Structure formats: structure tokens, C-alpha cells
Amino acid sequence: MREILGRRRRLLSRRNDGRPRRNDARPELVGAALTFATQWQWPVLPGVAPDPQGRARCACPDPECTVPGAHPFDPGLLAATTDARMVRWWWTNRPSAPVILATGGKAPCAVSLPALAASRALALLDRRGMRLGPVIASPTRWALLVKPYSMEQLGELLYAKDFVPGSLRFHGEGGYLALPPSETGQGAVRWERAPLPGSAAPWVPDVEAVVDAVVDALTRTGVSAPEL
């Protein structure tokens, strides 16, 4: 009998469908997701949780996934919503899933760069007194939120520059970004520059101002590489 009960406890402590155990639930995630979706009107959806067999791996079918846990899979990106009922349903069933923002449209876009380069660039921009919006930090990359932009607008902006570091990435229409307080295969996602408290959506700057300032800062500090 002890052997049967032991087996039953083991079975109850895990799920075969890959969903987290009940004691893995993170109620702060659904609260954050509801704030993003309903108060700020940012469309969100759950990301793929990190593989429980290896934190640096992703639970998606791609063994070479470069953003483990930090991307949508099922449902796909087009399912992103601001509907509170859908958000509650998703995180009731997947309580530890990362919160993924569908960038572009009416939602913010972002410019991201390696963490070390971002830290030094932000320090320089602070000394210059430049106003920035929220900044999202993961262990490997930081993302500066900006106003929505079109691909044509971004193309013209980059074409006008003599040099753009290859380490910059642009999260625009059709893109996505993990939001705090998500936990991904690369570690915790947090606010490096948190939005000001309040119900209104956070202020974000124009992409032109951010790209100009970041490219100049990276060039001056000499940390435009590596291209991670």
C-alpha cells in the first residue's frame, strides 16, 4: 500500500500535459497581465514556459529556440487580446506562463540591445538629461519601449544613418516582447525603468529620438558589439 500511495503522490505532483503544478502558480502574473490588457490596452497572450527539464531550454518543439520561454506558441501571436475574460482564462490554466506583449499597432514597439551595452548607454543618456520611457531588462538584453512605428518609418530612419550597430533589434508590428514579472528560459524579466504608477498607459518616446540617442551612445562608449 505504501508503494501505491507513493506512486499516487508522485503523479499528483506533476502534470503530463506540461502545465505547471499548482504550487508553481504566480498570482502576480495574472495581475500584471490584466493591468497591461485592461488599463493600458496593450494586447497580451501567454508565452511558452521554460522546459521543466532544463531552464535554459524552451518547451516549444524547436530544439534550437533562441528565446526559450519568451515567445508565443499556442495560441499564436494573432490571439493577443485586451479582453479581461480571456486573460483570466489563460492564466488560470497556465498560471506561470510568461506575459507576452504583441508589439505594434496601438501597442508600444521597442528597441533592444545587449544588457551591458544598454546599461552603459542608459547611464550616458541620463547624464544628458534625455527622457526615456519604461525599460525592460532580462539577463541578456534590455528593451526601450517606444511609440508604435511602421516598417517604412523604421527603414527611412535606418537608411539615413551612416552606421547602425548590428546588436540593435527592433520589435515592431508583428513582433513580441516578454513583460515583467515573467520568468523565461534566460531568467527573470524585470523593469529597469518602471512605468510611473497610475491607471493611464505609460508615456513612451518616439523611435527616432531613441535610435538616434542609442546609436550615438553605443558609438561613443564603444560597446556596440557583440551582436547578441
Side-chain angles (χ1 to χ4, degrees), residues 45-198:
L45 74 164
V48 182
D51 190 331
Q53 302 302 317
R55 183 178 176 185
R57 298 189 343 225
C58 190
C60 76
D62 182 3
E64 305 297 328
C65 181
T66 58
V67 284
H71 66 92
F73 171 59
D74 182 21
L77 186 64
L78 292 179
T81 184
T82 58
D83 182 78
R85 293 170 299 176
M86 194 73 241
V87 169
R88 287 194 184 93
W89 188 88
W90 276 333
W91 271 273
T92 296
N93 287 276
R94 300 172 59 185
S96 64
V99 181
I100 303 298
L101 167 69
T103 55
K106 295 182 179 180
C109 295
V111 178
S112 71
L113 59 161
L116 176 60
S119 176
R120 295 180 179 176
L122 261 63
L124 179 58
L125 299 181
D126 284 343
R127 291 196 294 271
R128 295 178 178 177
M130 179 176 176
R131 183 186 181 190
L132 294 172
V135 178
I136 299 169
S138 74
T140 57
R141 295 187 71 85
W142 291 10
L144 287 68
L145 297 187
V146 298
K147 291 180 181 177
Y149 57 78
S150 65
M151 293 304 297
E152 291 78 13
Q153 181 183 4
L154 180 64
E156 293 176 0
L157 173 62
L158 299 181
Y159 181 78
K161 294 196 169 299
D162 295 328
F163 170 73
V164 177
S167 56
L168 288 184
R169 293 179 187 167
F170 301 91
H171 308 258
E173 184 75 33
Y176 56 85
L177 197 66
L179 295 173
S182 299
E183 183 80 23
T184 74
Q186 295 174 331
V189 179
R190 61 179 176 83
W191 294 112
E192 174 62 25
R193 302 287 173 87
L196 296 176

Side-chain angles (χ1 to χ4, degrees), residues 7-77:
R7 174 174 170 77
R8 184 170 182 268
R9 279 194 292 268
R10 287 196 300 272
L11 290 173
L12 288 175
S13 69
R14 64 186 178 186
R15 294 178 182 269
N16 293 327
D17 59 6
R19 289 186 293 168
R21 298 188 303 270
R22 179 169 302 196
N23 59 7
D24 288 336
R26 295 182 56 199
E28 71 273 20
L29 282 170
V30 67
L34 285 169
T35 295
F36 301 142
T38 62
Q39 295 184 24
W40 299 356
Q41 291 295 293
W42 292 1
V44 298
L45 74 164
V48 182
D51 190 331
Q53 302 302 317
R55 183 178 176 185
R57 298 189 343 225
C58 190
C60 76
D62 182 3
E64 305 297 328
C65 181
T66 58
V67 284
H71 66 92
F73 171 59
D74 182 21
L77 186 64

